[in-house]
Amino acid sequence: MPLKKQSVRIGIIGFGTVGAGTAKILLRKGRQLERKLGFPLVLKNIADLDTKRDRGIKLPAGVLISNANTILNDPEIDIVVELMGGIHPAKEFILQAIRNGKHVVTANKALLATEGQEIFKAAEKNNVDIGFEASVAGSIPIIKVVRESLIGNSIQSIYGIINGTSNYILTKMTEEGVDFSSALKEAQALGYAEADPTFDIEGIDSAHKLTILVSLAFGVPFSFKKIYTEGITKITPLDIQFASEFGYKIKLLAIAKQSGKDVEVRIHPTMLPDSHMIAGVNGVFNAIYIESDATGPQLYYGRGAGEMPTGSAVVSDIADIAGGIRNRAADRVQKTIIPEHSDLSIKKIDDIQTCYYLRFSAFDKPGVLSRISGILGEYNISIKSMIQKGRQADKAVPVVMMTHEAREKDMVQALRKIDRLSAVSGKTVYLRVEGGES
Ligand code: NDP
Ligand code: HSE
């Protein structure tokens, strides 16, 4: 079939969850996109290793191929869309596309967070664009917001629920009492999870996304390895229940805030007061709360994963880049240049100050509580409130405390000492609490 004049031609590598969503939008909304852009987007090829599997969409004859190199070396293709995931050979495919003068769109946050510096440099050298809206928070246009809409602001802090799978699991455990592994299986069946779901549940996927956001927001080099990362695998129904009794929800939170010459960047399960704007963000939904100097606080909310929401973000990048190609726009609002150096450094987790939830398993013997609170006091940790549940002779029972702000290093040392007490059984559970001292 001869290609329409003025069309922008697209090749997708990877016909999985996101590839199928992207193809559905491009094919089903072709006319609408042409009307809005003023020229057609033509999906020339999709490459996948498996060309037989049903992906829920019928492609025109000849579109589906098995060899990605056909797309990478096709002089007619303007934009290569990498939706296969993983590091290799995705990185080599993207670099080859760039060398061949093609613009690139990708949803691959793992690749960008770990190898992005080299990829963005190559794109700059070859004067091509990289679209990566779908790499962070699925359907929420947060890359555009941070890179373009807030360009006149100094961003002070970002608090985000940016992993749909773990938020889905925590919501199912909190609201329906579903156990962890069943909730994870559901998230996988819905197409939310990564190929290796430990990335989702151990906080690694959130750290990949926060790496990208922090670089754009604070102008620091990609710092994935420096991000303190803790997942949700140790969260128990008991802690969810205690959190609720204190008026809190447990969320896997991505936090980035500037203080002086440091940026605090961390991912961990966090207790948020029920009244907090993002405590009620449930299921696969993501939310990002940003405080900037000119705008003040802003909240962005939407589906963070899944076929169509993510496909929507991919298509927005394709349309944006295609508009630049056809209309010969001098440039997009801001080129993505990832700095190699910055005056700001990433704060060590030991130095952060926050409030804490502590759950001890203690034998109900006279003097136990005063010994625990005495050790906390030695480390400048003061208790805000406490719950003790039940009394059982010769059996440890949970004792739960909420503290005022303390330094992480002090907390770790105090708990190490407390856990050595003969009246304390097992390792004390501690969770960080955000949302301000109440
Ligand atoms: P899937 O596993 O569903 O799809 C990936 C597809 O790529 C599979 O069909 C796979 O084939 C194919 N593939 C693998 N290697 C090659 C190759 N060498 N050539 C051609 N095709 C290949 O993953 P998703 O669609 O879920 O994710 C894709 C990317 O999008 C990842 O980077 C992910 O992190 C990101 N993302 C995913 C979201 C989601 O909601 N799922 C949301 C946001 C981003 P086969 O199965 O045969 O190996
Ligand atoms: N696995 C990711 C998530 C996909 O659950 O959020 C979206 O990036």
Side-chain angles (χ1 to χ4, degrees):
M1 189 175 61
L3 292 166
K4 283 195 195 176
K5 215 173 142 218
Q6 290 300 307
S7 59
V8 168
R9 285 132 315 190
I10 296 140
I12 298 178
I13 304 174
F15 196 23
T17 304
V18 184
T22 303
K24 283 177 188 172
I25 297 175
L26 287 175
L27 295 176
R28 292 175 186 165
K29 302 278 172 70
R31 284 222 181 105
Q32 178 182 314
L33 285 163
E34 181 170 352
R35 206 170 53 244
K36 289 182 179 177
L37 288 169
F39 56 86
L41 296 175
V42 173
L43 177 53
K44 191 169 180 211
N45 283 122
I46 304 184
D48 198 284
L49 301 175
D50 181 347
T51 54
K52 299 274 177 281
R53 203 183 314 160
D54 179 11
R55 317 279 179 165
I57 177 170
K58 196 167 160 25
L59 297 174
V63 168
L64 188 57
I65 57 173
S66 59
N67 190 349
N69 282 305
T70 307
I71 290 177
L72 298 170
N73 297 320
D74 181 345
E76 285 193 331
I77 285 183
D78 304 292
I79 304 175
V80 171
V81 184
E82 182 277 307
L83 298 174
M84 54 184 279
I87 307 298
H88 304 289
K91 178 183 172 186
E92 290 69 27
F93 285 176
I94 287 180
L95 289 175
Q96 192 183 334
I98 291 172
R99 279 194 301 272
N100 289 349
K102 298 179 189 317
H103 302 278
V104 170
V105 173
T106 179
N108 195 337
K109 57 268 168 161
L111 176 62
L112 292 182
T114 53
E115 308 282 336
Q117 214 91 29
E118 186 181 338
I119 291 171
F120 284 105
K121 229 179 177 175
E124 203 190 340
K125 187 173 158 213
N126 288 275
N127 204 23
V128 296
D129 216 336
I130 308 262
F132 51 103
E133 188 60 72
S135 67
V136 182
S139 67
I140 307 174
I142 198 66
I143 299 296
K144 271 198 181 65
V145 165
V146 173
R147 191 178 58 176
E148 299 174 16
S149 316
L150 296 180
I151 193 166
N153 285 256
S154 298
I155 293 179
Q156 292 142 346
S157 57
I158 300 177
Y159 294 85
I161 294 174
I162 53 176
N163 182 266
T165 301
S166 52
N167 203 41
Y168 184 87
I169 294 170
L170 289 175
T171 304
K172 285 276 168 179
M173 288 173 75
T174 306
E175 313 246 304
E176 296 168 34
V178 174
D179 68 82
F180 189 101
S181 61
S182 311
L184 171 58
K185 279 195 193 113
E186 283 179 32
Q188 287 177 292
L190 290 162
Y192 302 155
E194 294 303 301
D196 176 357
T198 53
F199 276 40
D200 297 290
I201 59 180
E202 294 295 1
I204 300 160
D205 176 72
S206 295
H208 287 147
K209 293 164 176 166
L210 192 58
T211 300
I212 298 168
L213 276 186
V214 162
S215 184
L216 297 177
F218 298 102
V220 294
F222 280 165
S223 315
F224 171 66
K225 287 192 179 144
K226 293 186 186 161
I227 297 183
Y228 176 81
T229 304
E230 194 185 311
I232 60 166
T233 48
K234 294 194 187 97
I235 299 298
T236 63
L238 188 61
D239 294 310
I240 291 174
Q241 187 193 318
F242 277 123
S244 157
E245 285 183 38
F246 280 108
Y248 287 81
K249 292 278 183 309
I250 301 177
K251 295 288 178 191
L252 182 64
L253 212 62
I255 300 170
K257 44 184 165 183
Q258 187 174 351
S259 61
K261 288 244 166 201
D262 285 335
V263 195
E264 210 173 297
V265 193
R266 47 194 165 103
I267 310 281
H268 50 70
T270 307
M271 281 180 39
L272 285 174
D274 287 336
S275 57
H276 193 282
M277 276 211 251
I278 59 177
V281 173
N282 285 327
V284 71
F285 280 84
N286 283 191
I288 297 147
Y289 174 82
I290 304 186
E291 287 183 63
S292 322
D293 57 354
T295 60
Q298 294 193 318
L299 182 66
Y300 300 91
Y301 173 81
R303 286 181 193 276
E307 183 187 55
M308 300 311 285
T310 314
S312 159
V314 173
V315 171
S316 83
D317 273 340
I318 294 173
D320 203 4
I321 292 175
I325 297 172
R326 278 294 155 259
N327 302 325
R328 305 219 186 321
D331 254 320
R332 279 155 50 120
V333 175
Q334 195 196 2
K335 276 203 156 179
T336 308
I337 296 172
I338 306 299
E340 285 181 33
H341 308 285
S342 159
D343 290 341
L344 294 175
S345 49
I346 308 291
K347 195 174 203 165
K348 291 203 174 74
I349 188 73
D350 273 357
D351 296 328
I352 69 153
Q353 294 251 128
T354 189
C355 300
Y356 292 85
Y357 156 97
L358 309 174
R359 176 167 60 78
F360 307 96
S361 275
F363 291 97
D364 192 3
K365 289 182 184 160
V368 175
L369 283 181
S370 72
R371 294 187 71 187
I372 291 176
S373 53
I375 294 173
L376 291 175
E378 267 175 51
Y379 287 91
N380 291 317
I381 300 164
S382 79
I383 300 163
K384 187 157 67 179
S385 51
M386 195 192 96
I387 301 179
Q388 181 180 0
K389 278 283 167 84
R391 298 195 65 179
Q392 293 193 50
D394 301 329
K395 210 169 165 216
V397 290
V399 176
V400 179
M401 291 177 186
M402 300 290 284
T403 75
H404 290 289
E405 268 198 4
R407 196 164 68 118
E408 176 93 6
K409 191 174 181 181
D410 294 331
M411 182 57 77
V412 170
Q413 287 180 349
L415 293 184
R416 212 172 277 152
K417 200 162 175 184
I418 289 170
D419 287 349
R420 284 202 294 264
L421 294 174
S422 59
V424 170
S425 147
K427 214 166 173 318
T428 297
V429 171
Y430 73 106
L431 292 172
R432 300 169 193 89
V433 182
E434 291 284 336
E437 291 256 16
S438 53

